[in-house]
Amino acid sequence: MIAIENVNFAIGGTSLIQNTTLRVAAREAVCLCGPSGVGKTTLLEIAAGLTAPDSGTVSLDSARIGCAFQDDILVPWLTALDNLLLVMTGPLAQARAGAGGWLDRFGLDPDMRPPQMSGGMRRRLSLARAFAVEPEILLLDEPFAFLDDQWQARTAMHVEAHRQGGGAVLLVSHQERHLDAFQCRTVFIDHGPIKLSA
Ligand SMILES: Nc1ncnc2c1ncn2[C@@H]1O[C@H](COP(=O)(O)OP(=O)(O)OP(=O)(O)O)[C@@H](O)[C@H]1O
């Protein structure tokens, strides 16, 4: 479902990712774990098509992709509901119902705007948006950051439900203890440059 093949990427002459192959199948969650600055986010951005690799290929077998990145990239003047509707397609009434359901599952007031929210609420809004597009592929960067134990557990439950429903998940997390909450293949990166064959 996600196929990153023989990818190379350098920044400012420093090689960050070398000849890396990483495949994530349907019904599979893969978690990238490793030290800060090693290039995990960059690899996720390459998977999402936000950053072009210097060489190698990325193919995703679905255009239905839900993303939540470390910078939540929410529109501050739009309500929580409108932030979700912005990325949703289909009939408006159906989209509103779907968005409302995900806001409810993530404990959010649909009328609140991002600047009124705590960091954890903004992270939950970013996650609700990722799930609301009914993705086949989920790309999540530190989905548990800023969340308390209860919301970490609920987020893990939604990730697992997505996987069990046939989706593919590629995520980056420092918090290995949460990886027990869902079935996940963990890929450890000890040091850079990233060289994976997984
Ligand atoms: N746009 C950019 N311009 C220059 N350097 C960058 C850019 N984006 C990332 N980097 C550098 O690339 C390296 C990898 O960054 P990246 O965010 O991918 O690491 P990470 O493993 O996800 O770290 P963390 O766990 O702290 O988020 C870092 O040294 C970072 O400073």
Side-chain angles (χ1 to χ4, degrees), residues 3-130:
I4 297 167
E5 310 262 0
N6 302 315
V7 158
N8 287 279
F9 183 77
I11 285 184
T14 304
S15 176
L16 209 58
I17 299 169
Q18 280 182 3
N19 210 25
T20 280
T21 292
L22 176 66
R23 297 188 192 94
V24 186
R27 234 174 251 280
E28 185 178 37
V30 170
C31 180
L32 299 175
C33 287
S36 184
V38 82
K40 304 179 300 294
T41 294
T42 304
L43 187 55
L44 201 66
E45 288 174 353
I46 288 173
L50 299 175
T51 297
D54 297 332
S55 63
T57 59
V58 176
S59 67
L60 309 181
D61 72 356
S62 172
R64 291 209 343 244
I65 304 165
C67 293
F69 285 97
Q70 270 175 296
D71 303 323
D72 292 315
I73 319 176
L74 301 163
V75 183
W77 57 86
L78 292 182
T79 63
L81 178 63
D82 286 339
N83 265 279
L84 264 57
L85 291 178
L86 206 56
V87 297
M88 295 175 74
T89 55
L92 184 60
Q94 199 179 316
R96 286 179 78 91
W102 280 106
L103 291 171
D104 194 43
R105 272 170 227 128
F106 279 97
L108 294 163
D109 176 345
D111 296 323
M112 220 176 198
R113 290 180 169 76
Q116 302 169 296
M117 296 179 177
S118 67
M121 291 164 88
R122 281 195 289 272
R123 177 51 46 95
R124 283 188 268 137
L125 180 53
S126 173
L127 289 164
R129 181 179 55 186

